[in-house]
Amino acid sequence: MSGLHNTRAYWSGVLAMTLCVFVLIASEFMPVSLLTPIAGDLHITEGLAGQGIALSGALASLTISRLTGSLDRKWLLLGLTALMAASGLMIALASSFPVYMLGRALIGIVIGGFWSMSAATAIRLVPQRQVPRALAIFNGGDAPGPPVEGK
């Protein structure tokens, strides 16, 4: 990648990040519809199981950029992807509330880290004229946000 003025499009990178967007959104919001089974499996109340959703949201709001500013973005995103997989396994196999909460905390770190750098990374993967297409593909499964002015 040669920065903001790429002449080559790295669509495989855009598609890989799109897959991560899908998995992150599913990881973030799927537990909302699974609170009853989660609570039953962990022998806790549904309200307590819901705290895992609040925890991941709170951690996602923290900035990770200060801690990772000097790291190579490619390796950081790969590391966050590995952490996402590990947290998903931890949550799926959790046999206790603390393990469930640790898994949710890890997914919160991933969400915060990924979203803080994802658009800027996607922009660097394609030539400037293809950025709108790349961002549309990248955010295709995301909830709509405010309208964006531009080309």
Side-chain angles (χ1 to χ4, degrees), residues 115-138:
W115 287 121
S116 70
M117 69 179 73
S118 59
T121 301
I123 288 169
R124 286 175 171 80
L125 291 173
V126 297
Q128 187 174 3
R129 65 180 171 26
Q130 293 180 324
V131 167
R133 180 181 297 157
L135 290 175
I137 292 168
F138 176 73

Side-chain angles (χ1 to χ4, degrees), residues 23-99:
V23 173
L24 278 174
I25 291 171
S27 297
E28 188 174 7
F29 296 113
M30 192 181 308
V32 172
S33 61
L34 299 173
L35 288 179
T36 301
I38 290 171
D41 286 350
L42 297 177
H43 308 293
I44 57 175
T45 66
E46 291 174 4
L48 200 52
Q51 293 302 310
I53 296 160
L55 178 66
S56 67
L59 287 176
S61 67
L62 300 174
T63 60
I64 195 172
S65 58
R66 286 186 196 160
L67 300 173
T68 60
S70 63
L71 297 176
D72 181 332
R73 221 174 259 199
K74 175 182 164 183
W75 291 108
L76 179 58
L77 286 169
L78 286 171
L80 288 171
T81 302
L83 186 59
M84 176 176 53
S87 71
L89 280 172
M90 184 178 289
I91 293 165
L93 301 174
S95 59
S96 68
F97 181 69
V99 173

Side-chain angles (χ1 to χ4, degrees), residues 1-2 6 8-15 124-127 130:
M1 288 185 296
S2 60
N6 258 339
R8 180 170 181 230
Y10 297 92
W11 290 107
S12 60
V14 172
L15 293 175
R124 286 175 171 80
L125 291 173
V126 297
Q130 293 180 324

